[in-house]
Short mmCIF file of all heavy atoms in Angstrom, two decimals:
data_model
loop_
_atom_site.label_atom_id
_atom_site.label_comp_id
_atom_site.label_asym_id
_atom_site.label_seq_id
_atom_site.Cartn_x
_atom_site.Cartn_y
_atom_site.Cartn_z
N PRO A 82 5.65 0.93 2.55
CA PRO A 82 4.19 1.11 2.63
C PRO A 82 3.59 1.35 1.24
O PRO A 82 4.26 1.88 0.35
CB PRO A 82 4.03 2.34 3.52
CG PRO A 82 5.32 3.07 3.42
CD PRO A 82 6.39 2.05 3.12
N GLU A 83 2.35 0.97 1.10
CA GLU A 83 1.64 1.16 -0.17
C GLU A 83 1.19 2.61 -0.33
O GLU A 83 0.96 3.07 -1.44
CB GLU A 83 0.43 0.22 -0.24
CG GLU A 83 -0.26 0.24 -1.57
CD GLU A 83 -1.47 -0.67 -1.62
OE1 GLU A 83 -1.48 -1.70 -0.94
OE2 GLU A 83 -2.42 -0.33 -2.35
N ASP A 84 1.08 3.32 0.77
CA ASP A 84 0.61 4.71 0.75
C ASP A 84 1.46 5.55 -0.19
O ASP A 84 2.67 5.36 -0.31
CB ASP A 84 0.66 5.33 2.14
CG ASP A 84 -0.22 4.60 3.13
OD1 ASP A 84 -1.12 3.87 2.69
OD2 ASP A 84 0.01 4.75 4.34
N ASN A 85 0.84 6.52 -0.80
CA ASN A 85 1.54 7.44 -1.68
C ASN A 85 2.23 8.50 -0.84
O ASN A 85 1.58 9.37 -0.27
CB ASN A 85 0.56 8.07 -2.67
CG ASN A 85 1.24 8.98 -3.66
OD1 ASN A 85 2.42 9.27 -3.56
ND2 ASN A 85 0.48 9.43 -4.65
N TRP A 86 3.56 8.45 -0.78
CA TRP A 86 4.34 9.39 0.03
C TRP A 86 4.24 10.81 -0.50
O TRP A 86 4.49 11.76 0.21
CB TRP A 86 5.80 8.95 0.08
CG TRP A 86 6.41 8.87 -1.29
CD1 TRP A 86 6.45 7.78 -2.10
CD2 TRP A 86 7.02 9.93 -2.02
NE1 TRP A 86 7.04 8.09 -3.30
CE2 TRP A 86 7.41 9.41 -3.28
CE3 TRP A 86 7.28 11.26 -1.75
CZ2 TRP A 86 8.04 10.17 -4.24
CZ3 TRP A 86 7.91 12.03 -2.72
CH2 TRP A 86 8.29 11.47 -3.94
N LYS A 87 3.87 10.97 -1.77
CA LYS A 87 3.78 12.31 -2.38
C LYS A 87 2.77 13.19 -1.65
O LYS A 87 2.92 14.40 -1.60
CB LYS A 87 3.39 12.20 -3.84
CG LYS A 87 4.54 12.14 -4.81
CD LYS A 87 5.36 13.38 -4.74
CE LYS A 87 5.95 13.76 -6.06
NZ LYS A 87 6.97 14.78 -5.90
N LYS A 88 1.73 12.57 -1.09
CA LYS A 88 0.72 13.34 -0.37
C LYS A 88 1.32 14.03 0.85
O LYS A 88 1.03 15.18 1.13
CB LYS A 88 -0.43 12.44 0.07
CG LYS A 88 -1.26 11.91 -1.06
CD LYS A 88 -2.33 10.96 -0.53
CE LYS A 88 -3.02 10.24 -1.66
NZ LYS A 88 -3.92 9.20 -1.18
N GLU A 89 2.17 13.30 1.58
CA GLU A 89 2.75 13.84 2.80
C GLU A 89 3.97 14.72 2.55
O GLU A 89 4.24 15.65 3.29
CB GLU A 89 3.14 12.68 3.74
CG GLU A 89 3.24 13.11 5.18
CD GLU A 89 3.31 11.92 6.12
OE1 GLU A 89 2.76 10.85 5.80
OE2 GLU A 89 3.93 12.08 7.18
N TYR A 90 4.71 14.42 1.47
CA TYR A 90 5.94 15.16 1.16
C TYR A 90 5.92 15.59 -0.31
O TYR A 90 6.72 15.11 -1.12
CB TYR A 90 7.18 14.30 1.44
CG TYR A 90 7.23 13.76 2.84
CD1 TYR A 90 6.85 12.45 3.12
CD2 TYR A 90 7.65 14.56 3.90
CE1 TYR A 90 6.89 11.95 4.41
CE2 TYR A 90 7.69 14.08 5.20
CZ TYR A 90 7.31 12.77 5.45
OH TYR A 90 7.34 12.28 6.72
N PRO A 91 5.03 16.49 -0.68
CA PRO A 91 4.85 16.81 -2.10
C PRO A 91 6.06 17.46 -2.76
O PRO A 91 6.23 17.37 -3.97
CB PRO A 91 3.64 17.75 -2.10
CG PRO A 91 3.62 18.34 -0.73
CD PRO A 91 4.16 17.27 0.18
N ASP A 92 6.92 18.11 -1.99
CA ASP A 92 8.06 18.82 -2.58
C ASP A 92 9.35 18.00 -2.60
O ASP A 92 10.37 18.47 -3.06
CB ASP A 92 8.31 20.13 -1.82
CG ASP A 92 7.12 21.07 -1.92
OD1 ASP A 92 6.45 21.07 -2.98
OD2 ASP A 92 6.86 21.80 -0.95
N THR A 93 9.29 16.77 -2.09
CA THR A 93 10.49 15.93 -2.04
C THR A 93 10.66 15.22 -3.38
O THR A 93 9.76 14.53 -3.84
CB THR A 93 10.37 14.88 -0.91
OG1 THR A 93 10.10 15.56 0.31
CG2 THR A 93 11.65 14.08 -0.79
N PRO A 94 11.83 15.38 -4.00
CA PRO A 94 12.07 14.70 -5.28
C PRO A 94 11.98 13.18 -5.13
O PRO A 94 12.49 12.60 -4.17
CB PRO A 94 13.49 15.13 -5.66
CG PRO A 94 13.74 16.36 -4.87
CD PRO A 94 12.96 16.23 -3.60
N LYS A 95 11.35 12.55 -6.11
CA LYS A 95 11.15 11.10 -6.07
C LYS A 95 12.48 10.35 -6.01
O LYS A 95 12.58 9.32 -5.34
CB LYS A 95 10.35 10.65 -7.30
CG LYS A 95 9.97 9.20 -7.29
CD LYS A 95 9.12 8.82 -8.47
CE LYS A 95 8.76 7.35 -8.35
NZ LYS A 95 7.94 6.91 -9.47
N VAL A 98 13.59 10.04 -2.38
CA VAL A 98 12.74 9.12 -1.62
C VAL A 98 13.06 7.67 -1.99
O VAL A 98 13.22 6.82 -1.11
CB VAL A 98 11.25 9.43 -1.84
CG1 VAL A 98 10.37 8.36 -1.18
CG2 VAL A 98 10.91 10.80 -1.29
#
Side-chain angles (χ1 to χ4, degrees):
E83 186 181 329
D84 299 341
N85 183 352
W86 59 269
K87 268 298 213 193
K88 291 177 189 172
E89 202 167 331
Y90 305 100
D92 298 327
T93 305
K95 186 177 182 181
V98 173

